[in-house]
Amino acid sequence: MVKYRDVSIPYTEQEITDVLEACKKFKTFEAETDSFSVDEMKTLCEELEFERSAEQIQAFEDYWNKHMGGRFPLKSVDGIMRVQHRPSLHAGWYAGVCDTNKDGFISKEEFDQVYALMSVQWPKVAGKSYEDFVHEADTDNSGTVSIDEFVHWLAQGSN
C-alpha cells in the first residue's frame, strides 16, 4: 500500500531529484527527449505519492496523448513537484499548459482543450461552460480572461 503525501507540504530538492531519477528508469524513458510515455502516469503518481483516481489518471493520459504526443517531459514533473503544495502556483502551472498560443489569455479553444484534464483535478471546473468560466473569471469585465484572472479563479476553488 502506497502511503500518500499531504500535498500541502512542499517537496524537498532531494525528493525532486529522487523522483526525476526514478522517472529516468521508466521503460519508456527517452534520454534524447528527456521524457517518458504517459502510459507510465500511474507509476509516476505512485513515485510522487499522489493519490489520484483512475478517472484523473485517464484524463491526464488522454490530454497528453491528444495534445502532447503522448510524452511527458521531466521538466513538467519537476514543475508539478515545485507547485503542487500551493494552489495558486498549481493553477499557474495549468495556465501555462492552457495558454497554448502564449498570448496571455485563455480562449474558448484553449479552455475546451484542457477542460477534461482540469475538471477532474479542480472540482469547480466540472460542469462549467466557457461562458460560465468567462462570467466568473473575467474580473475586469473585458470579455476575455487573462492568465492572472485564470490563476486567481482556479486557485479560489482549489481542492
Side-chain angles (χ1 to χ4, degrees):
M1 181 78 176
V2 176
K3 178 184 168 221
Y4 291 103
R5 170 183 195 85
D6 176 351
V7 295
S8 68
I9 301 170
Y11 286 94
T12 66
E13 287 299 318
Q14 187 60 54
E15 288 173 317
I16 293 170
T17 298
D18 291 348
V19 168
L20 294 176
E21 288 305 312
C23 290
K24 291 178 182 178
K25 295 177 184 169
F26 289 169
K27 293 176 191 171
T28 61
F29 180 76
E30 294 177 357
E32 57 275 3
T33 61
D34 213 26
S35 67
F36 55 90
S37 170
V38 295
D39 295 338
E40 306 258 23
M41 195 52 56
K42 183 177 180 192
T43 305
L44 175 63
C45 288
E46 290 169 358
E47 286 291 332
L48 296 173
E49 297 178 340
F50 282 179
E51 186 171 12
R52 295 292 185 256
S53 69
E55 178 187 28
Q56 287 174 312
I57 291 171
Q58 189 62 56
F60 200 86
E61 289 176 358
D62 290 348
Y63 173 81
W64 284 88
N65 278 321
K66 183 175 181 181
H67 302 289
M68 304 298 189
R71 305 295 302 169
F72 197 66
L74 290 187
K75 69 179 182 179
S76 292
V77 175
D78 182 272
I80 289 170
M81 291 182 75
R82 292 180 188 281
V83 302
Q84 183 69 31
H85 66 286
R86 293 205 21 223
S88 63
L89 293 177
H90 197 196
W93 183 85
Y94 267 96
V97 169
C98 194
D99 185 22
T100 57
N101 66 6
K102 305 300 181 210
D103 68 352
F105 296 90
I106 306 301
S107 69
K108 180 177 183 349
E109 293 76 23
E110 291 167 329
F111 180 83
D112 290 346
Q113 188 177 42
V114 296
Y115 175 80
L117 179 61
M118 288 190 312
S119 66
V120 295
Q121 177 69 31
W122 303 85
K124 81 173 296 171
V125 177
K128 299 282 184 197
S129 67
Y130 179 73
E131 291 73 23
D132 295 335
F133 163 65
V134 171
H135 177 73
E136 293 177 15
D138 179 22
T139 57
D140 67 3
N141 297 313
S142 65
T144 61
V145 177
S146 70
I147 293 297
D148 289 341
E149 289 171 320
F150 174 83
V151 169
H152 180 75
W153 175 80
L154 196 56
Q156 280 184 328
S158 63
N159 54 346

